[in-house]
Amino acid sequence: LTKDQRDELHQGPMRRTAVGIDLGTTDVFAANVGRKGVEIVQNSVSERRTPALVSFTPRRRLVGDSAAPQLKSNYRNSCRGLKHLIGRTFDSPDVEAERLWALCGLSKADT
């Protein structure tokens, strides 16, 4: 790229940024890296930390802080701590072992 092209990229509407996501065991963090440095993204309740938790009700899907109260009242339809299963096939031994201990049901998705 020429100097003019590089300057246009940095000053125009198409600025280069990167997004980083940290999937922790209990919490998730997201960050935006741009010209001004690293900015941790805040969730809907203005916190930088979002619990790695999902809960399903008959009408809604709750994620993060809004799903936390459902752990006690709706524990069979709440999932947490399943990060270690990302990328595994349904038939893998790790998933089979998790099915015995998971609070929520694990089932194979239709593809």
Side-chain angles (χ1 to χ4, degrees), residues 3-22:
K3 183 181 182 316
D4 292 337
Q5 289 172 330
R6 283 193 307 266
D7 290 343
E8 185 178 328
L9 281 175
H10 290 295
Q11 295 173 2
M14 298 285 294
R15 293 188 183 161
R16 293 183 183 207
T17 60
V19 175
I21 300 173
D22 174 18

Side-chain angles (χ1 to χ4, degrees), residues 12-111:
M14 298 285 294
R15 293 188 183 161
R16 293 183 183 207
T17 60
V19 175
I21 300 173
D22 174 18
L23 295 175
T25 303
T26 57
D27 298 316
V28 177
F29 293 87
N32 179 20
V33 182
R35 290 186 78 193
K36 296 180 180 180
V38 177
E39 176 188 354
I40 305 295
V41 178
Q42 294 181 351
N43 62 15
S44 60
V45 293
S46 300
E47 288 190 23
R48 294 178 175 191
R49 174 196 61 83
T50 300
L53 175 64
V54 179
S55 185
F56 301 94
T57 69
R59 295 184 183 175
R60 298 175 60 199
R61 178 186 64 219
L62 305 169
V63 178
D65 288 311
S66 60
Q70 296 289 317
L71 273 178
K72 291 182 180 177
S73 62
N74 189 18
Y75 68 92
R76 291 193 187 270
N77 294 318
S78 298
C79 301
R80 67 174 176 180
L82 300 177
K83 173 188 89 162
H84 58 281
L85 299 180
I86 294 174
R88 311 230 186 223
T89 62
F90 188 73
D91 300 327
S92 80
D94 293 329
V95 175
E96 284 294 321
E98 187 66 35
R99 290 179 70 196
L100 297 174
W101 300 104
L103 294 177
C104 59
L106 300 176
S107 59
K108 191 169 185 174
D110 296 329
T111 55

